[in-house]
Every structure is written in C-alpha cells, then in structure tokens.
Amino acid sequence: MTLAKEDKIYVAGHRGLVGSAIWNNLKQRGYNNLVGRTHRQLDLTDQLAVRRFFDEEQPKAVVLAAAFVGGIMANSLYRADFIMQNMMIQCNVIGEAYRHGVKKLLFLGSTCIYPKNAPQPMKEDALLTSPLEYTNEEYAIAKIAGLKMCESYNLQYGTDYIAVMPTNLYGPNDNFHLENSHVMPAMMRKIFLARMIHEQQWQLIRQDMNCRPVEGIDGKADEEEILHVLAKYGIEDNKVTLWGTGSPLREFLWSEDMADASVHVLLNVRFADIIGIEKYSSVHYGQSADGDVDRNSSTARGGAIPALGEIRNCHINVGTGKELTIRELAELVAKTTKFEGQLCFDSTKPDGTPRKLIDVTKLHQLGWTHHVEIEEGVEKLFQWYMQSLQTA
C-alpha cells in the first residue's frame, strides 16, 4: 500500500526520542495528517482506551515508537515492568491496528533482541540462536514478541507490518535521567555536572536540577543536598565514576537518522520486499476488488502454504555498522564538554553485552544509509542539552 499525503498516520510515542523525530520527518515530507497522544491523554496499556482511540481516529498507518525504556540500572530494578508494560503496549496497538484495518504499521524494537554472544556484526538471522543478555532479558523478550506479532500477522492475514531494530539511539528530546536514561545522555550529564561542580557554576547546576530533578532534589535545594544526591550517581568535583569496565563496544545512531530510516521503510518497503517474494500479497493472499487484502480469503493463512517454507527474521536492523568502546565514548563526551577531570570505571558494576554491532546490509539493500557520524552527533546532542537548560 502506498500512503497518500492526506492519509492519517498515528505516531505512538510522538513526544519521545524517536517518535518526535519521526513526526518531524513526516512533516518535512508533506505528511501533515498526523495524530499523537501523550501518556496522560492515552495509556497504551489500557486496552479499552486504545480501542476507543482507534474507533475515533481510524488511522491508515501506525508507527509504534512508544515503549517503556531505560538503561542497565532501570532494566535490573524494574524487570516485571519492562516485560509487562511493553507487552501490553504492543498487544493493544498491534491488535487494534489489525482490528481497524490499518494498512501499514511500523514497529520499533531494539538490537538487544540478539543473543549476548551473537557473532559480530549481528545479522537478522542471529535472533533466537542462543541466550540473551541477562540484564535486559525482559525488555528483549517483549521486543522479540512484538516483531513476531508483526511477522505472524503478515503471514496469517496478509498485512504489511514491518519491524525495525535500531541500535543505541541518541539525539534531540533524549532522556537525561540519571537512573532511567540510556548510556550517552546519562554520561554526558554526569560529566558536565562534574565540571560545573569543579568550576563552582552553581547557576548552571541549579538550572540542570530544576530541569531534571534527581530523587526529588531540584535546584532550590542547598548545595550540600545537591552534592550528596549527585555523588550517589558517581558525580563529584572534577570526577565521574561510570558503571562497568569501559570495555564493551557499542554502536550509536543519531535519532534523526533513525527517523529518516523509519520513514523510508514506512513509505517504500513492503513485507514482500523483505522476504523476497514478488507480489507477495496478490499471489499468496486473496485480494478484494479495490486491490486491498481480502481478510476473509481462504488463502490468507501463510503458515498453511508449503511453498512459502519457513519465513522468519523479517525485521530490519537500523544502524551505522560502526562501533567504539564505552571508554572511548566517555573520552569523546569529555572532550566535547571540555571536561578535564577524572573518568573512573567501577568494574564491580555490570558491563552488559560485550559487543553489539549490527549488520546493516539488508537496510542498505533497501535503499538507506546513515548520515551523522558519532563525533558530529555528540556535539549536536551537547548543544541540545545546553539549550534545554534555558527552559528551566
């Protein structure tokens, strides 16, 4: 199905890191009939609320960028929340999308779906070949379930639901929470605050704390309280302590690049393109007079068509195909933020997966490559972070 400029597109998670970038990318391409809801307006874990939303809005396409996310600490603390909330979000949105005849759906997952010791770089067919990394097992299982839902709906009902698996993302609207954010924004904030403490830049420290309070402590607290709570997160006078050894290798993708890749896939890639079966829908699923998939066709049962064989791993990796160590990243962030103090690593804390480089061959074959390199991206993120403090 080709999306027309006037077709309504629902972006779930439109205020988040990736969702906001996808929203802006669609706008830039002339897709202005967009609908989004904040968490306060629509709780995606509430099945009845999600159904009412689809009843009212009747979107033609859906981008599922909403998720319950966080780093190693959050994944360790909130294991039940990570699997339950993400499963509920996915089941509700994908289920209602199908029930309301949505023609195109894009599901955003994560490369943590791959085994801890998967061969590098990780190809899509590494999925489910060996155990996952324990620290993010629940989140990974939820995302695997989501991509399998998309795959299974396509095979059984002839839908066009595509799953993309981004590598580590960073960019505008990133979450700089010291406990629940991903590695780069948390690292950047820690390093910047350690420099500010050393330089006694209390106005900037208070702006930061007002913008993003830590354990209920904001910029109105006294200096001793602020220093005490920051020290709990490894932030001291000209010294930052980060989790792990610093040796794990990570790949990072600028969020606006991820958005561009996502919209490229949404607009230009069909399930048939991914699995390599020409005219997949028309050949293997009945079609109605207007050319849409006939959901009542007796042939609309992919698993019952022997000629299709075993179809799996239909998701698409999205990344740069380049990596650096966490220590190298910390040094790059320190250079960008003009931090000249100590970078320490606490080896008693977990490292997570040793290496997470993905193979992006499939993505390149589908016509998209990244634009922003890591050095430029870190500088752009720091500029955004500093601008965000002015709103405090």
Side-chain angles (χ1 to χ4, degrees):
M1 173 203 171
T2 301
L3 287 174
K5 294 290 177 69
E6 64 272 13
D7 285 342
K8 183 179 288 187
I9 303 173
Y10 168 44
V11 182
H14 74 295
R15 293 280 185 86
L17 172 63
V18 188
S20 61
I22 290 174
W23 182 283
N24 292 335
N25 191 285
L26 285 164
K27 287 274 191 183
Q28 289 164 10
R29 293 176 188 242
Y31 291 84
N32 293 308
N33 192 5
L34 307 180
V35 59
R37 293 288 187 275
T38 64
H39 176 70
R40 180 173 293 181
Q41 293 170 325
L42 175 62
D43 180 358
L44 294 178
T45 66
D46 183 336
Q47 184 180 19
L48 292 179
V50 174
R51 182 166 296 180
R52 283 195 298 269
F53 167 79
F54 273 85
D55 287 343
E56 293 166 4
E57 294 294 342
Q58 298 290 328
K60 286 288 183 67
V62 170
V63 176
L64 180 43
F68 183 71
V69 299
I72 291 177
M73 183 186 293
N75 274 272
S76 299
L77 291 174
Y78 310 119
R79 298 182 73 89
D81 291 344
F82 270 90
I83 192 165
M84 182 61 77
Q85 292 199 32
N86 283 299
M87 288 289 288
M88 287 193 293
I89 290 169
Q90 293 161 193
C91 287
N92 291 340
V93 174
I94 295 173
E96 292 306 320
Y98 173 71
R99 186 173 286 106
H100 289 80
V102 166
K103 304 302 181 186
K104 200 74 185 279
L105 181 144
L106 186 76
F107 170 73
L108 277 69
S110 165
T111 53
C112 70
I113 62 169
Y114 293 116
K116 178 175 183 175
N117 297 312
Q120 305 284 321
M122 298 179 290
K123 297 179 181 291
E124 285 86 355
D125 60 10
L127 183 67
L128 298 176
T129 56
S130 61
L132 298 164
E133 158 60 36
Y134 180 74
T135 56
N136 61 13
E137 193 172 43
E138 280 70 21
Y139 183 72
I141 288 171
K143 289 300 179 181
I144 291 169
L147 74 87
K148 284 294 182 183
M149 282 183 222
C150 293
E151 188 178 282
S152 300
Y153 269 90
N154 293 341
L155 291 172
Q156 184 169 345
Y157 296 118
T159 51
D160 208 0
Y161 298 170
I162 311 297
V164 289
M165 300 295 126
T167 189
N168 298 287
L169 299 172
Y170 67 106
N173 296 311
D174 222 331
N175 170 18
F176 284 79
H177 193 288
L178 294 179
E179 183 180 25
N180 294 327
S181 70
H182 286 122
V183 60
M184 192 188 297
M187 178 187 290
M188 183 172 286
R189 187 182 180 194
K190 288 178 180 182
I191 290 173
F192 173 74
L193 286 174
R195 178 189 150 204
M196 292 299 97
I197 292 171
H198 182 66
E199 296 179 3
Q200 293 291 293
Q201 297 281 352
W202 278 99
Q203 181 179 348
L204 278 173
I205 294 170
R206 292 184 186 282
Q207 282 180 295
D208 172 276
M209 299 293 285
N210 281 330
C211 191
R212 301 173 180 90
V214 180
E215 296 186 6
I217 304 297
D218 62 17
K220 300 180 185 67
D222 61 40
E223 292 182 9
E224 186 176 344
E225 277 187 294
I226 291 174
L227 291 174
H228 177 73
V229 75
L230 292 181
K232 291 172 64 175
Y233 293 89
I235 305 166
E236 301 173 76
D237 182 347
N238 227 24
K239 178 182 177 182
V240 175
T241 302
L242 303 170
W243 277 32
T245 63
S247 63
L249 287 155
R250 290 292 180 269
E251 175 183 15
F252 293 92
L253 180 68
W254 182 243
S255 62
E256 292 175 335
D257 268 357
M258 176 58 197
D260 195 61
S262 298
V263 175
H264 173 82
V265 170
L266 180 70
L267 300 180
N268 301 299
V269 178
R270 305 168 304 155
F271 186 59
D273 300 323
I274 297 170
I275 65 176
I277 297 178
E278 189 61 28
K279 297 180 180 176
Y280 179 75
S281 293
S282 62
V283 172
H284 297 286
Y285 302 101
Q287 283 193 324
S288 59
D290 61 4
D292 286 337
V293 171
D294 182 357
R295 298 173 188 277
N296 297 316
S297 168
S298 61
T299 62
R301 296 291 183 271
I305 304 174
L308 295 183
E310 291 187 356
I311 295 176
R312 53 167 60 95
N313 303 329
C314 303
H315 55 285
I316 306 167
N317 288 340
V318 183
T320 65
K322 301 178 181 182
E323 63 188 344
L324 76 168
T325 67
I326 294 297
R327 185 179 294 274
E328 289 171 334
L329 175 65
E331 291 168 353
L332 176 59
V333 171
K335 179 182 176 181
T336 303
T337 60
K338 297 180 172 56
F339 175 75
E340 297 178 351
Q342 283 182 279
L343 290 175
C344 303
F345 289 86
D346 183 356
S347 60
T348 66
K349 297 293 192 299
D351 268 333
T353 306
R355 192 182 181 202
K356 282 181 64 178
L357 181 66
I358 55 173
D359 186 304
V360 289
T361 301
K362 183 188 288 188
L363 179 66
H364 290 175
Q365 290 172 342
L366 292 168
W368 189 90
T369 57
H370 77 283
H371 307 289
V372 178
E373 301 295 350
I374 186 70
E375 294 81 8
E376 179 188 357
V378 169
E379 177 63 39
K380 285 160 68 82
L381 181 64
F382 184 56
Q383 290 173 5
W384 184 89
Y385 168 70
M386 292 302 295
Q387 289 170 2
S388 75
L389 299 185
Q390 304 310 311
T391 65

